[in-house]
Structure formats: structure tokens, C-alpha cells
Amino acid sequence: MKNLKKMLLLLVVMISITSFAQKKKVAVVTFYANKMISFDGLGAGYDFILKDVMNLRDDPDFNLSPLLEKYHSNFFNDYSKEFPFELVPEKEVLSNPNYISFTPKYELNKYDAKNYLVYNNYKYVYEGFMGKYNEEGIAKALADKVDGVLFVYIDFGLVQGFGIGKTMTIKMRATTRIALYNKTGEKVFAFSEGENSKKTSVMVGGVPVIKPEKLLPMCDSALEELMGDLQKRIAKIIKKSDAKL
């Protein structure tokens, strides 16, 4: 009888330890790239290139899909290992009826949709800066399945290299924002990380060359630099997030 009690007690302890050690679950709810190249990093006086930037966005040769695929692969296969929580398999999230039926505020119209390359069957879900409708809404929609929701996106922007004025070189900067909210829609963490490309381009008569063959390799270079930096920093950035979920 005493041995039986000891065994039962040990079993209860083991179950308690297993439950305590179980990682919390988080669903990635949006994953996309912004196709509109920013030029704020060049300084004032470059509004005249907006038309070229929009033409670049619509140019089929400016294909960011391989870059988004690369970042997605790194995020789920490498960075996720540093998380103190478990990412829910994408198929479970994207096939969840509550996710499918969720209608985000600031949903993309036909014009805005051109600006974004959304990965696979994810929704474009706007996060931050304009209220908490999306954050709370998507978190509560999935609250019976997950402990939190994660928003991930990348964008690209031209920045000054070296030189002055018309002889200046330019670089590309890749920036990612990663934001986690708990099941009630409260922010756990949100951060942006960016890196400049090693590849550069030049001004021609003081005008940046906005061509796919020039800028796409720079985007790829900037993303490579960003991913290398992010791999080193992400564990430190999200170290205390588990306690807030």
C-alpha cells in the first residue's frame, strides 16, 4: 500500500512538472513584405521619384517572393528555436474557421493590395499605431487555441551611402517588425530591427536609379545582413516574453 501511495505521489509530481514545463502556444497571424520602397532615408527633396517607386512596385521583374520565402524559412526554422514559446503549425492557423472569418480593420482595398506581398494564405492584418482593433480581435478569435498572436513583416527603404549630393551612393535598408500580443490583445513585446545592404548603387545626375536589376540585389543583400543580425539578437529581445503571455 505504501509503495502504491509513493507511486501515485510520484505520478502526480511528474504530471505537475510536465504541465508547468509545457511551452505556451503562439500563432503567427500575418506575414508579409511591403513592396513600396521607402525613400525617406535619402533626405528631403526626393518626392519626384514617387512615380518611379510605384512603377517599381508594379514591375513583375521586381519579385520579392524569393526574399519573403527566405525570410519565412529562417523565421520558422531558425528563429523559432530561440522562442520561449511554441509556434502553432501554420496549417492549423490558416485553416482555423475563426481566422478565416476574421475581417481586419484597415483591410486592403484593390489599390492598397498592390503595396503588399502577403505570404501564402495569410491575411494582411495591420498592427500598431492606429488603435487595438486588429490586435484584440484576432487574439480573442483564436484565444481558445493559443496563448498569443504574432505579427511579422519586412519592408525596404533607400538610404544614403557615401558621397555628397549628385555623386552620392545609395544603399538599401531591410527592416522587420515583430510584435507579440497575448490572448486578450495586450502587447507582450514589439520591436523593429534593420540593417543596410553591402551592395550599393549610385545616383545618376542626382537621381537614384529605380530599376529592378539594380534594387532587387540590394534588397537581397540587406535582408541577408538583417537575418544575420536578427539571429544574434532575437533570443535576448524576447527572453522575458513567456512570463507575460
Side-chain angles (χ1 to χ4, degrees):
M1 181 64 72
K2 289 183 179 180
N3 289 337
L4 179 59
K5 288 182 177 180
K6 288 181 179 179
M7 290 178 64
L8 289 173
L9 180 60
L10 181 61
L11 181 61
V12 170
V13 171
M14 290 178 65
I15 292 173
S16 298
I17 292 174
T18 301
S19 299
F20 181 78
Q22 187 175 16
K23 284 187 175 183
K24 292 182 178 179
K25 295 184 177 181
V26 168
V28 176
V29 292
T30 194
F31 202 105
Y32 64 89
N34 191 339
K35 295 169 62 181
M36 282 288 289
I37 299 298
S38 167
F39 48 88
D40 293 342
L42 296 179
Y46 286 92
D47 291 348
F48 65 90
I49 69 171
L50 177 59
K51 183 177 179 181
D52 292 330
V53 168
M54 294 180 69
N55 289 338
L56 179 74
R57 174 200 65 184
D58 298 333
D59 192 326
D61 290 331
F62 186 64
N63 182 14
L64 292 177
S65 294
L67 277 66
L68 186 60
E69 180 67 50
K70 183 190 299 185
Y71 184 53
H72 175 272
S73 177
N74 274 265
F75 189 89
F76 279 89
N77 296 331
D78 296 328
Y79 306 151
S80 63
K81 295 176 183 178
E82 306 292 340
F83 297 156
F85 46 78
E86 176 186 344
L87 290 184
V88 178
E90 289 180 288
K91 288 183 179 180
E92 290 185 24
V93 178
L94 300 180
S95 64
N96 186 302
N98 290 341
Y99 181 80
I100 294 172
S101 62
F102 178 73
T103 301
K105 195 172 184 178
Y106 317 116
E107 190 175 19
L108 297 175
N109 58 37
K110 290 182 180 180
Y111 177 78
D112 292 333
K114 294 181 179 180
N115 294 348
Y116 301 98
L117 177 64
V118 183
Y119 188 84
N120 201 5
N121 293 315
Y122 279 105
K123 293 177 180 287
Y124 169 84
V125 186
Y126 182 88
E127 176 270 330
F129 309 117
M130 297 178 70
K132 295 176 62 177
Y133 177 90
N134 284 344
E135 294 87 332
E136 291 180 351
I138 195 69
K140 291 177 180 178
L142 300 176
D144 62 329
K145 298 292 185 181
V146 303
D147 300 291
V149 291
L150 199 62
F151 300 74
V152 185
Y153 67 85
I154 54 174
D155 56 31
F156 300 92
L158 294 172
V159 295
Q160 295 182 5
F162 56 89
I164 301 174
K166 294 183 178 182
T167 61
M168 183 173 65
T169 64
I170 55 175
K171 293 185 176 184
M172 186 68 69
R173 186 169 182 83
T175 303
T176 185
R177 179 172 169 88
I178 302 174
L180 175 65
Y181 292 79
N182 66 21
K183 63 172 60 181
T184 64
E186 293 297 320
K187 186 188 295 182
V188 177
F189 69 74
F191 68 92
S192 296
E193 189 77 9
E195 285 292 338
N196 293 344
S197 63
K198 286 187 176 180
K199 290 184 179 295
T200 63
S201 185
V202 295
M203 297 276 197
V204 176
V207 179
V209 179
I210 310 297
K211 299 290 183 181
E213 61 270 22
K214 291 291 185 180
L215 298 191
L216 197 55
M218 292 168 62
C219 289
D220 189 34
S221 175
L223 182 62
E224 286 290 339
E225 296 301 310
L226 172 63
M227 290 191 299
D229 180 68
L230 199 58
Q231 183 71 52
K232 300 172 186 175
R233 293 200 54 194
I234 198 164
K236 295 180 181 179
I237 292 171
I238 65 176
K239 186 176 182 180
K240 298 180 180 179
S241 63
D242 190 50
K244 298 179 182 179
L245 278 174

